[in-house]
Amino acid sequence: MSKRIVIALGGNALGSTAAEQLALVSKTAKAIVDLIAEGNEVVIAHGNGPQVGMINLGLSTAAEAGAIKADMPFPECGAMSEGYIGYHLQQAIGNELTARGIRKPVATIVTQTVVSQDDPAFQNPTKPVGAFYDKETADRIAAEKGYTMVEDAGRGYRQVVPSPKPFDIVEAESIKALFNAGHVVIAVGGGGIPVVRKDGKLCGTPAVIDKDFGSELLAELLDADVLVILTAVEQVAINFNKPDQKGLDDLTPAQAKVYMDENQFAKGSMLPKVQAAVKFAESKAGRTALITLLEKAKDGIEGKTGTRVHQ
């Protein structure tokens, strides 16, 4: 039976260079088109943490060297990342559709998501962006640039920026129109460009929205059946990386909240994925969130693997 599916791709899964990303999205496209070939309607969202951080760092370095006149603000860096990641995804998905004889338009919408300027996240940066560094390099960058650098889930040190929660998507009607017309849509890249409303106008604000929360909001607005949050592991686990680690097949929102209260899920890593999954599952009866690997997405939707969060 055909389902409306929003797929949330992680920014870390897209590679660390444009060339690497272009190669990786070809594999990504195959898994996505597998779902389309089954008759499902699909919208793709994606992260941009590594990419937006590298764009920001590269342009700030160029400004320091005098090659450009000024640093590029974070909202504009987010827009740049949406553009080039969307370009790679729409090209790869379009090529895969064509190879299978499936005629479907693919389009990217540069998306703004609305946040509150009073969100406490602006006083507490938590969202990792950019490359991973060892502690010595991270300390040097923090001293030179004034960045906040933290250890990220055992993988190294990264810059963190504010990550406010989104509550509206500016281009929602445009996304719906294309989706309802049968297009494959790529939207809410990097969680969307964070904007606030001031005196009736939209203004960009320096932050990065977590793509899991942006994707969840998009899934609600599109009345999706399934939100697929892709990650680096096949299942959510409790006691992760411990001798008694246990994978979870199914979770109710209530069970997930107990595990969150026990600090079972790493902040900035698995925690926002579970939080977004719970929010989607609670938003309407019959909705399911799936957390799994990209290559397991089709099996997960069929109930064969992954972690399903539902009422």
Side-chain angles (χ1 to χ4, degrees), residues 278-307:
V278 166
K279 187 173 185 299
F280 183 69
E282 289 183 327
S283 64
K284 185 178 179 180
R287 288 177 174 170
T288 298
L290 169 70
I291 302 175
T292 194
L293 290 164
L294 169 67
E295 56 268 29
K296 298 289 185 178
K298 183 172 177 290
D299 285 344
I301 289 169
E302 294 172 356
K304 297 175 183 177
T305 190
T307 299

Short mmCIF file of all heavy atoms in Angstrom, two decimals, residues 278-307:
data_model
loop_
_atom_site.label_atom_id
_atom_site.label_comp_id
_atom_site.label_asym_id
_atom_site.label_seq_id
_atom_site.Cartn_x
_atom_site.Cartn_y
_atom_site.Cartn_z
N VAL A 278 9.35 10.67 18.49
CA VAL A 278 8.27 10.68 19.47
C VAL A 278 7.25 11.76 19.11
O VAL A 278 6.03 11.52 19.15
CB VAL A 278 8.83 10.90 20.89
CG1 VAL A 278 7.71 11.25 21.87
CG2 VAL A 278 9.58 9.66 21.37
N LYS A 279 7.72 12.94 18.77
CA LYS A 279 6.82 14.05 18.43
C LYS A 279 5.94 13.67 17.24
O LYS A 279 4.73 13.94 17.23
CB LYS A 279 7.61 15.31 18.13
CG LYS A 279 6.75 16.56 17.93
CD LYS A 279 7.61 17.81 17.82
CE LYS A 279 6.76 19.08 17.73
NZ LYS A 279 5.88 19.12 16.57
N PHE A 280 6.52 13.04 16.22
CA PHE A 280 5.74 12.66 15.05
C PHE A 280 4.74 11.57 15.40
O PHE A 280 3.57 11.63 15.00
CB PHE A 280 6.66 12.18 13.93
CG PHE A 280 5.92 11.84 12.66
CD1 PHE A 280 5.32 12.84 11.91
CD2 PHE A 280 5.82 10.52 12.23
CE1 PHE A 280 4.62 12.53 10.75
CE2 PHE A 280 5.13 10.21 11.07
CZ PHE A 280 4.52 11.21 10.32
N ALA A 281 5.16 10.56 16.17
CA ALA A 281 4.26 9.47 16.53
C ALA A 281 3.07 9.97 17.35
O ALA A 281 1.96 9.43 17.25
CB ALA A 281 5.02 8.40 17.30
N GLU A 282 3.30 10.99 18.16
CA GLU A 282 2.23 11.53 19.00
C GLU A 282 1.34 12.53 18.28
O GLU A 282 0.27 12.88 18.78
CB GLU A 282 2.84 12.23 20.22
CG GLU A 282 3.47 11.29 21.24
CD GLU A 282 3.99 12.01 22.46
OE1 GLU A 282 4.45 13.17 22.33
OE2 GLU A 282 3.94 11.42 23.55
N SER A 283 1.75 12.98 17.08
CA SER A 283 1.05 14.07 16.42
C SER A 283 -0.30 13.65 15.83
O SER A 283 -1.19 14.49 15.66
CB SER A 283 1.92 14.68 15.32
OG SER A 283 2.19 13.74 14.28
N LYS A 284 -0.46 12.37 15.51
CA LYS A 284 -1.72 11.89 14.92
C LYS A 284 -1.74 10.37 14.97
O LYS A 284 -0.71 9.72 14.78
CB LYS A 284 -1.84 12.37 13.48
CG LYS A 284 -3.17 12.05 12.80
CD LYS A 284 -3.19 12.62 11.39
CE LYS A 284 -4.48 12.29 10.67
NZ LYS A 284 -4.50 12.85 9.29
N ALA A 285 -2.89 9.81 15.23
CA ALA A 285 -3.03 8.35 15.28
C ALA A 285 -2.61 7.73 13.95
O ALA A 285 -2.94 8.25 12.87
CB ALA A 285 -4.46 7.97 15.60
N GLY A 286 -1.88 6.63 14.02
CA GLY A 286 -1.48 5.89 12.82
C GLY A 286 -0.15 6.29 12.23
O GLY A 286 0.34 5.64 11.30
N ARG A 287 0.46 7.36 12.77
CA ARG A 287 1.75 7.78 12.25
C ARG A 287 2.88 6.99 12.90
O ARG A 287 2.85 6.73 14.11
CB ARG A 287 1.96 9.28 12.49
CG ARG A 287 1.10 10.15 11.58
CD ARG A 287 1.27 11.62 11.87
NE ARG A 287 0.53 12.43 10.88
CZ ARG A 287 0.34 13.74 10.98
NH1 ARG A 287 0.83 14.40 12.02
NH2 ARG A 287 -0.35 14.38 10.06
N THR A 288 3.89 6.66 12.10
CA THR A 288 5.04 5.88 12.58
C THR A 288 6.33 6.58 12.18
O THR A 288 6.46 7.06 11.05
CB THR A 288 5.04 4.47 11.97
OG1 THR A 288 3.86 3.78 12.40
CG2 THR A 288 6.27 3.67 12.43
N ALA A 289 7.27 6.62 13.10
CA ALA A 289 8.62 7.08 12.79
C ALA A 289 9.55 5.88 12.81
O ALA A 289 9.41 4.98 13.65
CB ALA A 289 9.09 8.12 13.80
N LEU A 290 10.48 5.86 11.87
CA LEU A 290 11.45 4.76 11.75
C LEU A 290 12.85 5.34 11.82
O LEU A 290 13.16 6.30 11.13
CB LEU A 290 11.25 4.04 10.41
CG LEU A 290 12.33 3.04 9.98
CD1 LEU A 290 12.30 1.80 10.88
CD2 LEU A 290 12.14 2.65 8.51
N ILE A 291 13.68 4.75 12.66
CA ILE A 291 15.09 5.15 12.76
C ILE A 291 15.94 3.95 12.33
O ILE A 291 15.85 2.88 12.94
CB ILE A 291 15.45 5.58 14.19
CG1 ILE A 291 14.55 6.74 14.65
CG2 ILE A 291 16.92 6.00 14.27
CD1 ILE A 291 14.75 7.14 16.10
N THR A 292 16.75 4.13 11.28
CA THR A 292 17.55 3.00 10.79
C THR A 292 18.62 3.50 9.81
O THR A 292 18.77 4.69 9.57
CB THR A 292 16.66 1.94 10.13
OG1 THR A 292 17.40 0.72 9.95
CG2 THR A 292 16.11 2.40 8.79
N LEU A 293 19.34 2.55 9.22
CA LEU A 293 20.32 2.81 8.18
C LEU A 293 19.64 3.10 6.84
O LEU A 293 18.54 2.60 6.58
CB LEU A 293 21.23 1.59 7.99
CG LEU A 293 22.22 1.23 9.10
CD1 LEU A 293 22.73 -0.19 8.89
CD2 LEU A 293 23.39 2.21 9.08
N LEU A 294 20.31 3.85 5.99
CA LEU A 294 19.79 4.14 4.66
C LEU A 294 19.45 2.87 3.90
O LEU A 294 18.34 2.72 3.36
CB LEU A 294 20.81 4.97 3.87
CG LEU A 294 20.53 5.15 2.37
CD1 LEU A 294 19.28 5.99 2.17
CD2 LEU A 294 21.73 5.78 1.67
N GLU A 295 20.40 1.94 3.86
CA GLU A 295 20.19 0.73 3.06
C GLU A 295 19.14 -0.20 3.65
O GLU A 295 18.70 -1.15 3.00
CB GLU A 295 21.51 -0.02 2.87
CG GLU A 295 22.23 -0.39 4.15
CD GLU A 295 23.24 0.66 4.58
OE1 GLU A 295 23.04 1.86 4.26
OE2 GLU A 295 24.23 0.28 5.22
N LYS A 296 18.69 0.07 4.87
CA LYS A 296 17.67 -0.74 5.52
C LYS A 296 16.30 -0.05 5.52
O LYS A 296 15.34 -0.57 6.11
CB LYS A 296 18.07 -1.05 6.97
CG LYS A 296 19.36 -1.85 7.12
CD LYS A 296 19.18 -3.28 6.66
CE LYS A 296 20.44 -4.10 6.93
NZ LYS A 296 20.28 -5.51 6.53
N ALA A 297 16.20 1.12 4.88
CA ALA A 297 14.96 1.89 4.95
C ALA A 297 13.77 1.10 4.42
O ALA A 297 12.69 1.07 5.04
CB ALA A 297 15.12 3.20 4.19
N LYS A 298 13.91 0.46 3.27
CA LYS A 298 12.80 -0.30 2.68
C LYS A 298 12.37 -1.43 3.61
O LYS A 298 11.18 -1.62 3.87
CB LYS A 298 13.21 -0.84 1.31
CG LYS A 298 12.11 -1.58 0.56
CD LYS A 298 12.55 -1.89 -0.85
CE LYS A 298 11.50 -2.69 -1.61
NZ LYS A 298 11.36 -4.06 -1.11
N ASP A 299 13.34 -2.18 4.14
CA ASP A 299 13.01 -3.27 5.06
C ASP A 299 12.37 -2.71 6.34
O ASP A 299 11.45 -3.32 6.90
CB ASP A 299 14.27 -4.06 5.43
CG ASP A 299 14.75 -4.96 4.31
OD1 ASP A 299 13.96 -5.22 3.38
OD2 ASP A 299 15.91 -5.40 4.36
N GLY A 300 12.86 -1.56 6.78
CA GLY A 300 12.31 -0.98 8.00
C GLY A 300 10.86 -0.57 7.83
O GLY A 300 10.03 -0.80 8.73
N ILE A 301 10.52 0.01 6.70
CA ILE A 301 9.14 0.40 6.43
C ILE A 301 8.24 -0.83 6.38
O ILE A 301 7.07 -0.78 6.77
CB ILE A 301 9.06 1.23 5.14
CG1 ILE A 301 9.69 2.61 5.38
CG2 ILE A 301 7.63 1.39 4.65
CD1 ILE A 301 9.90 3.42 4.14
N GLU A 302 8.80 -1.94 5.94
CA GLU A 302 8.05 -3.20 5.90
C GLU A 302 8.02 -3.92 7.26
O GLU A 302 7.48 -5.01 7.39
CB GLU A 302 8.65 -4.13 4.84
CG GLU A 302 8.48 -3.58 3.42
CD GLU A 302 9.24 -4.40 2.38
OE1 GLU A 302 9.96 -5.35 2.78
OE2 GLU A 302 9.11 -4.08 1.18
N GLY A 303 8.66 -3.30 8.28
CA GLY A 303 8.63 -3.85 9.62
C GLY A 303 9.65 -4.94 9.89
O GLY A 303 9.56 -5.66 10.88
N LYS A 304 10.68 -5.03 9.04
CA LYS A 304 11.66 -6.11 9.17
C LYS A 304 12.87 -5.73 10.00
O LYS A 304 13.60 -6.61 10.47
CB LYS A 304 12.12 -6.56 7.78
CG LYS A 304 11.01 -7.14 6.91
CD LYS A 304 11.52 -7.45 5.51
CE LYS A 304 10.40 -7.96 4.61
NZ LYS A 304 10.90 -8.21 3.23
N THR A 305 13.14 -4.45 10.16
CA THR A 305 14.32 -4.02 10.91
C THR A 305 14.14 -2.58 11.36
O THR A 305 13.08 -1.98 11.17
CB THR A 305 15.60 -4.17 10.07
OG1 THR A 305 16.74 -3.96 10.91
CG2 THR A 305 15.62 -3.18 8.91
N GLY A 306 15.19 -2.00 11.95
CA GLY A 306 15.12 -0.63 12.43
C GLY A 306 14.35 -0.53 13.74
O GLY A 306 13.91 -1.54 14.31
N THR A 307 14.21 0.70 14.22
CA THR A 307 13.42 0.99 15.41
C THR A 307 12.20 1.79 14.99
O THR A 307 12.33 2.88 14.42
CB THR A 307 14.25 1.78 16.44
OG1 THR A 307 15.37 1.00 16.84
CG2 THR A 307 13.39 2.10 17.67
#
